[in-house]
Amino acid sequence: MSNPIGSAITIAWLSLSLGLSACSGLVQPPDPPSHVNSLGMRFVRIPAGEFLMGSDESPDRLARDFPAYERQRLLQLSDEQPVHRVRISQPFWLGQHEVTVGQFRAFLQASGHRPESVADGTGGYGYNPDYDPASTLRGDAFEGRDPRYSWDQPGFAQTEQSPVLNVSWNDAVALARWLSLRENRVYRLPTEAEWEYACRAGSRTRYHQGDDPQSLVRVANLFDAAALPYWPRWQAYALAGSDGHAFSAPVGSLAPNAFGLHDMLGNAWEWVADWHDEAYYASSPSSDPTGPEDGEVKVRRGGSWHSWALYARCSFRNWNTPQTRYTLVGMRLLLEAEDDSGRH
């Protein structure tokens, strides 16, 4: 399918991004325009443009590249349809990386905000090598909720540069509101459309680098050979290669997409602004859609360090209640552009 990017700015920017690196074989974009805020978050300017949102891949086609997956999993993707053209009418700044543990810690210290994993006393989820998923009704891969687990205690080692996890949608909104007041700028979560547009970065393939799931180890921290020893029961779903990280990786450890954004796939699921509605795409506005007016669950995108490749496609939609905190879920913020020239 041809690339439907409709913005001259987008086309010009993307055309600069197609130089190949002889040593890695990956597309190496030039350094994009960037802005660093008061917490040290770096934002990349994303130009206005158009794209095709969603996926129309049939279960049969998916089965060819995901042969180990039960048929039912391939039939549960109807909320990615229909594919529809979306116009992003204004440029915006998007976090080049997911919000880190260190940045979230600085926010808590400066604002006094108490994350939900701490404030309600029920904690979050975490990795426990002695926990058996088969011992629970849901077969969840992680133990919780439990007060032992929180945004800074996911059950495995992190650094200040790791993506913050166990943060709720409400925590993400609180950070955006605090930054907006502190800097007199508009910070928020991206919409689903803005997120997918930025993730695809001009591509129309399953992943921003292509269709082959095995190629993900170069650009996404997912469930692969590095993580498999910790969860051998899911061997059939592990990528054959290794990205070098069994758990979360410091942000920016792997190659960026053509917009210069790291970890749009893998590392941490990212909250977006929209409520989830399985049928929303059929009536979605063609310009700057913001999702349903209300709902029960909020969308998260992009997959995590523990996600299987089927669930790390650019089009895949997942969801949880706004209060959910989980050891795979983090965030990435959007900063609205002050004018069309990108001045800040």
Side-chain angles (χ1 to χ4, degrees), residues 156-213:
F156 54 85
Q158 296 186 116
T159 72
E160 294 294 276
Q161 294 304 309
S162 300
V164 66
L165 304 167
N166 265 324
V167 285
S168 69
W169 186 90
N170 294 321
D171 290 330
V173 170
L175 171 56
R177 287 174 176 167
W178 179 80
L179 275 170
S180 298
L181 291 172
R182 175 176 173 140
E183 298 185 6
N184 196 30
R185 299 286 305 274
V186 178
Y187 287 88
R188 57 178 174 82
L189 290 174
T191 65
E192 268 203 275
E194 290 166 335
W195 187 96
E196 188 169 325
Y197 172 68
C199 179
R200 291 188 177 282
S203 70
R204 185 54 204 153
T205 46
R206 287 176 187 154
Y207 315 106
H208 54 70
Q209 87 291 348
D211 285 327
D212 181 8

Side-chain angles (χ1 to χ4, degrees), residues 236-252:
Y237 307 104
L239 293 171
S242 173
D243 55 37
H245 302 279
F247 296 91
S248 64
V251 298

Side-chain angles (χ1 to χ4, degrees), residues 64-266:
R64 289 196 294 270
D65 284 348
F66 301 95
Y69 289 69
E70 302 90 336
R71 182 76 174 180
Q72 188 60 27
R73 293 184 181 275
L74 308 180
L75 296 173
Q76 294 174 336
L77 305 172
S78 61
D79 65 347
E80 300 176 21
Q81 301 171 1
V83 173
H84 54 293
R85 186 178 296 273
V86 173
R87 176 174 179 258
I88 303 297
S89 67
Q90 299 296 322
F92 57 91
W93 299 87
L94 191 64
Q96 187 169 33
H97 307 107
E98 293 155 340
V99 175
T100 67
V101 170
Q103 290 161 350
F104 194 71
R105 188 188 312 279
F107 156 62
L108 298 184
Q109 293 172 346
S111 68
H113 175 74
R114 297 186 71 210
E116 289 195 276
S117 62
V118 175
D120 65 12
T122 66
Y125 283 76
Y127 171 69
N128 178 352
D130 297 323
Y131 162 76
D132 181 5
S135 67
T136 63
L137 182 63
R138 294 194 319 167
D140 201 294
F142 299 96
E143 183 179 43
R145 286 186 193 176
D146 191 294
R148 289 180 297 162
Y149 304 120
S150 66
W151 67 273
D152 66 344
Q153 296 292 338
F156 54 85
Q158 296 186 116
T159 72
E160 294 294 276
Q161 294 304 309
S162 300
V164 66
L165 304 167
N166 265 324
V167 285
S168 69
W169 186 90
N170 294 321
D171 290 330
V173 170
L175 171 56
R177 287 174 176 167
W178 179 80
L179 275 170
S180 298
L181 291 172
R182 175 176 173 140
E183 298 185 6
N184 196 30
R185 299 286 305 274
V186 178
Y187 287 88
R188 57 178 174 82
L189 290 174
T191 65
E192 268 203 275
E194 290 166 335
W195 187 96
E196 188 169 325
Y197 172 68
C199 179
R200 291 188 177 282
S203 70
R204 185 54 204 153
T205 46
R206 287 176 187 154
Y207 315 106
H208 54 70
Q209 87 291 348
D211 285 327
D212 181 8
Q214 299 303 326
S215 69
L216 285 166
V217 294
R218 301 176 297 173
V219 300
N221 178 23
L222 295 167
F223 188 65
D224 62 5
L228 181 58
Y230 298 89
W231 292 274
R233 69 179 63 223
W234 292 309
Q235 181 175 2
Y237 307 104
L239 293 171
S242 173
D243 55 37
H245 302 279
F247 296 91
S248 64
V251 298
S253 295
L254 300 172
N257 70 6
F259 278 156
L261 300 168
H262 293 264
D263 303 315
M264 291 298 289
L265 304 177

Side-chain angles (χ1 to χ4, degrees), residues 3-7 10 48-52 85-88 197:
N3 175 14
I5 297 297
S7 164
T10 303
E50 295 182 3
F51 75 114
L52 292 180
R85 186 178 296 273
V86 173
R87 176 174 179 258
I88 303 297
Y197 172 68

Side-chain angles (χ1 to χ4, degrees), residues 4 8 48 55 67 128 167 172 262 278 281 284 324 327:
S55 172
N128 178 352
V167 285
H262 293 264
E278 184 159 339
Y281 281 8
S284 175
T324 295
T327 193

Side-chain angles (χ1 to χ4, degrees), residues 245-313:
H245 302 279
F247 296 91
S248 64
V251 298
S253 295
L254 300 172
N257 70 6
F259 278 156
L261 300 168
H262 293 264
D263 303 315
M264 291 298 289
L265 304 177
N267 221 19
W269 285 102
E270 299 175 12
W271 290 113
V272 297
D274 305 33
W275 294 106
H276 179 264
D277 180 347
E278 184 159 339
Y280 179 71
Y281 281 8
S283 59
S284 175
S286 60
S287 183
D288 301 318
T290 57
E293 292 185 4
D294 53 35
E296 297 181 355
V297 288
K298 290 289 187 178
V299 179
R300 53 183 170 96
R301 289 293 207 115
S304 74
W305 57 269
H306 196 263
S307 295
W308 304 343
L310 178 68
Y311 304 123
R313 293 171 299 111

